[in-house]
Each structure stands twice: as structure tokens, then as C-alpha cells.
Amino acid sequence: MRHLLLLCLAFADFASAQSTAPFPTPPNQKGLQVQMVDDALALGIHHAGVNINLTALLDMKSKPETGEFVFNQNYLASLDRQIKPLSDRGVLVYTILIAYPSKDPARDGIVLHPGHRKDHKFSVSAINTTNRFLDAVISLLAERWSGAHAEHGRVWGWIIGNEVNSHFLWNNMGLVPLETAASEYEKAYRIAHTAIRRHSQHARTYASFDHHWASSMHNVSAQEATPGRDFLDTFARLVRERGDFDWNVAWHPYPEDLGNPRAWADKSITTDDNSNKVTFKNLQVLAQHLAKPELLFQGKHRRIILSEQGFHTLLTPDGEKLQAAAYAYAWEKIQALPTVDAFIYHRHVDHAHEGGLRLGLWRNAPNSIADPHSKKLIYDLFKKAGTPEWRAAADALLPVTGLKAWNQ
């Protein structure tokens, strides 16, 4: 069975959204990009990230020229199987909406930004806003997971794209300057936000950034990547000029060196607004920047989630202890930042195709990509986060950091 969505041109206003339920307030920020649902629930998570490949959702029986789109029901059902068991247990699910290249020119011509590199030397494309695909697919997903259909589960957070300030790799639209990159992203974000609002008054949407702040990714041109701070400010200005709405931020505060788990020892960052990166060591820089009057929405702070970040396990005798200490350090840091709502750890299981990084709570099985094999030291610490057992477990790792107290 396939589902045919005929795009409706008459948009409902916010007051007629299907769900008026308020955004939930979970007990704490503990989250995970989930690979094994039962294990994630046993770990006591309250937030979960789920990737959605928008390109794979499109069925090629669609007729974009007439606004008729058909979507892959098997893929939708597989997403339900990830989302429903989590949301049924009260976990807040955040979808990460990504346009991966399929290398099928016809499919990519509908879903991907028209300016994307045709040699496919990038990971994720910007989304096409010249047709009605984006509105159609987000309308479908937002209605499906709005709470109106218990059989499908519920989504509360929608992350639009991935690390969009490094646009040559993660939001590709060709070689473009900052103003164009931010403008094209604002168009896509606004379409997605409007579609989501038709079905939920209080679901939240998030703009996704890597850890670059006052500088951009190294060894690329200004037409390929921009400082996260400058992209955020330009995006915010364009939203105000075109009609402000309640966007939020999904930040990825990896350590300055992804291969070094010692987040407390980042040397190149500072605690002012000109820091080259925002990592866990200076995460307050992002929160302080978002407190600027021009970045508030109706007098309130934009919300922050940490939607993708992890700590590498070095192949040294103290590697697992360093990884666990980094998680303890990060957890303690966010407790002092009231606008940080979620800390969604990446990854659940080590992944063999992640540039040599071993970020997981689990080791992967030998000769596998990401089959779970055995738990690391961080697993037990992660389980204790947000429980009465946390204090003793975290404090036992404080000497690893060289700090005298976590609030240092």
C-alpha cells in the first residue's frame, strides 16, 4: 500500500492545529541516538534522536509538477517501529530530517537543492524548496506523529538538516557565500516549521550546527563553510525580516579534537564570544549569545538541545576511563545551563565507518559495522545519570580530569 498525499494550498492557521498539548518537561536531559530500543529504555533515557532520510521517503510514482507525492510506506512503518516504543514510554523523540543523495538523478532532482554538487562529493544536501516536496513530506510526517495517531507514536522535536554552517559537506547547495547559504536554509526551515505547526502548536523545531563558532571548518573556502555564530546570526536576521517565529538550536559540542576525549582540556577555545569553537568546556558562550535581545522570541530565550556529540575511546589503558570522565564532565556542565533541554549522546554502539572514532556506550563486534558486542565503562555511568547514584559515580572520576571540583 502506498499513500498519496495531495498538497493542499490552503494552509490552516495555528489555532486549528490538531494538537494543543504543551511541550513536555522530562525529569532530566539524558538522551541517546538510539540503536537498540530495549537497551535505551533500560538506560533510563528521556530524549532520543532518530535520523530520517527524506530522499528515501519519496516514491518515484510522485508527480511533483502537479503537487502529487507518493511516499514509501515500508520506510514509514520502519520509522514507526523506532518511534512508537520510545514515545509510548514517555521518551521525547527528536527527528533529524536529512536529504541524503541517492545518486539517482531523477530522485535527487526532486529532493535535493538544485545547486548541489553533481559529483556527490558531499554527505548531505540542502533541501529543494523550488517544488512542493518539502511541504508535502513534512506535512505527512507531522500529521502522522502529532499525537493524533497513537499507532504511529509521537514526535516532539524536529531538527531541520544537519550542521548547516559547514554547508559544503552537510548542507550542500554548491559554492555559495554566507548570506546565500543562510537564506536558502531559512526558506527550507520556514516551510518545515509551517508544516509542523499545522499539526502541533507546541512541537519544537531546531537549527543544527557543528562546534565551529567564530571560525569555520579548516581547509575549505568561505563559500563552503561559515562560522556557526555568523550563520546563526544571519539566519536569525533573515527570520526577523521575513516574519519571526520560534526556532531553536541543536548544537554539537564535540571536543576541539574529536579524537581526544579530554573535553576539559580543550586549549584553543575561550570563554568569550570570539572563541573559535563552542565545546562542552565553554558551552555557556552559546547560551549567553542566545540571550541577546535581538535573538529572543517574544521575550523568551531560544531553547538548546545537544543533538549529536560523543567522546572517543582511546586504545590506551585509561581510554575507557577518560571517555567516562568526559561524559561526567559534560553532564555536570549542562546542569548549570537552564536553557539546555537535552543531551542526546552519540553513539549507542561503536561504528566501524566513523573515521576511526569509537564513541559508543557499547563496543561493536569484531568484523561488524555496529553490532553490539560488550558494554564499556561509560555504560554504567550513563545509566546512573539523573539518578541518586550519579553523585558518587561521577565524583569518582573527578581525579581523571585534574579538576578540584566539577564547577571549576
Side-chain angles (χ1 to χ4, degrees):
M1 295 290 293
R2 290 185 173 90
H3 177 81
L4 180 65
L5 177 66
L6 298 178
L7 183 66
C8 179
L9 298 180
F11 295 162
D13 61 20
F14 292 179
S16 62
Q18 289 181 355
S19 172
T20 60
F23 193 87
T25 304
N28 57 56
Q29 303 99 328
K30 183 161 63 174
L32 183 65
Q33 288 194 358
V34 175
Q35 180 175 325
M36 302 171 289
V37 171
D38 289 345
D39 186 62
L41 292 172
L43 283 164
I45 66 166
H46 299 290
H47 309 265
V50 174
N51 286 323
I52 295 183
N53 182 351
L54 296 180
T55 316
L57 273 171
L58 178 70
D59 189 298
M60 291 309 292
K61 291 188 177 181
S62 299
K63 298 177 182 178
E65 65 278 3
T66 61
E68 300 176 11
F69 291 93
V70 183
F71 295 104
N72 184 326
Q73 287 297 297
N74 289 333
Y75 186 28
L76 283 168
S78 74
L79 292 168
D80 290 346
R81 289 193 293 272
Q82 295 178 66
I83 291 167
K84 180 175 169 55
L86 294 165
S87 64
D88 281 357
R89 293 283 293 273
V91 175
L92 271 64
V93 177
Y94 303 75
T95 59
I96 304 146
L97 306 171
I98 302 179
Y100 289 108
S102 69
K103 300 186 180 180
D104 171 5
R107 179 182 296 273
D108 289 349
I110 296 170
V111 179
L112 307 190
H113 190 284
H116 76 273
R117 288 180 60 144
K118 303 309 184 283
D119 60 7
H120 298 103
K121 291 183 178 180
F122 61 93
S123 296
V124 175
S125 174
I127 305 172
N128 195 347
T129 59
T130 65
N131 57 35
R132 297 194 178 275
F133 166 76
L134 181 57
D135 182 87
V137 70
I138 303 303
S139 293
L140 170 73
L141 300 181
E143 197 273 340
R144 187 182 189 92
W145 298 318
S146 65
H149 307 285
E151 68 275 18
H152 297 309
R154 176 129 200 192
V155 170
W156 277 106
W158 303 83
I159 301 168
I160 315 301
N162 182 64
E163 298 188 348
V164 295
N165 55 300
S166 293
H167 57 274
F168 84 104
L169 187 60
W170 298 111
N171 196 46
N172 192 276
M173 59 187 78
L175 297 173
V176 297
L178 167 61
E179 186 77 14
T180 302
S183 179
E184 290 298 289
Y185 180 61
E186 192 277 342
K187 292 176 189 176
Y189 195 115
R190 185 178 293 273
I191 291 170
H193 181 273
T194 301
I196 291 161
R197 274 288 169 270
R198 290 200 292 272
H199 301 287
S200 176
Q201 288 189 18
H202 300 293
R204 291 178 181 169
T205 60
Y206 302 86
S208 173
F209 298 87
D210 60 22
H211 64 176
H212 293 92
W213 185 246
S215 65
S216 58
M217 185 177 286
H218 302 308
N219 301 318
V220 297
S221 72
Q223 291 190 311
E224 295 174 299
T226 70
R229 179 193 63 190
D230 298 352
F231 193 107
L232 188 154
D233 287 348
T234 305
F235 168 79
R237 172 177 56 79
L238 291 168
V239 172
R240 291 195 300 273
E241 291 172 358
R242 298 168 182 177
D244 205 2
F245 58 82
D246 52 328
W247 56 266
N248 301 283
V249 172
W251 196 259
H252 297 173
Y254 284 103
E256 61 180 3
D257 176 0
L258 273 63
N260 183 353
R262 301 173 183 87
W264 56 87
D266 285 349
K267 296 178 180 178
S268 67
I269 64 99
T270 62
T271 55
D272 60 62
D273 203 47
N274 292 314
S275 178
N276 66 330
K277 294 180 177 71
V278 168
T279 70
F280 277 108
K281 187 174 182 180
N282 67 337
L283 191 56
Q284 66 272 20
V285 169
L286 173 63
Q288 291 164 0
H289 188 87
L290 288 170
K292 291 184 174 182
E294 66 271 23
L295 295 178
L296 303 179
F297 179 67
Q298 296 179 349
K300 296 181 180 179
H301 290 255
R302 310 282 177 174
R303 307 307 300 180
I304 300 168
I305 62 170
L306 312 178
S307 58
E308 183 205 311
Q309 55 284 305
F311 304 107
H312 177 54
T313 310
L314 296 167
L315 296 178
T316 60
D318 62 349
E320 288 196 20
K321 185 172 283 190
L322 286 168
Q323 183 194 34
Y327 184 83
Y329 174 84
W331 182 267
E332 291 292 324
K333 188 61 178 275
I334 64 172
Q335 303 314 307
L337 298 172
T339 56
V340 176
D341 296 322
F343 174 9
I344 301 173
Y345 190 80
H346 173 86
R347 298 186 62 100
H348 202 155
V349 182
D350 286 348
H351 196 285
H353 296 166
E354 200 159 34
L357 294 174
R358 293 173 290 277
L359 306 174
L361 306 179
W362 288 71
R363 303 174 195 89
N364 62 320
N367 303 313
S368 77
I369 295 176
D371 293 338
H373 178 266
S374 52
K375 300 169 184 175
K376 299 184 195 175
L377 185 64
I378 191 177
Y379 183 95
D380 186 57
L381 178 73
F382 183 96
K383 189 172 185 177
K384 292 175 179 175
T387 76
E389 298 177 273
W390 171 258
R391 184 76 281 134
D395 287 353
L397 292 164
L398 186 60
V400 178
T401 68
L403 301 173
K404 294 181 179 179
W406 289 119
N407 62 10
Q408 230 180 309

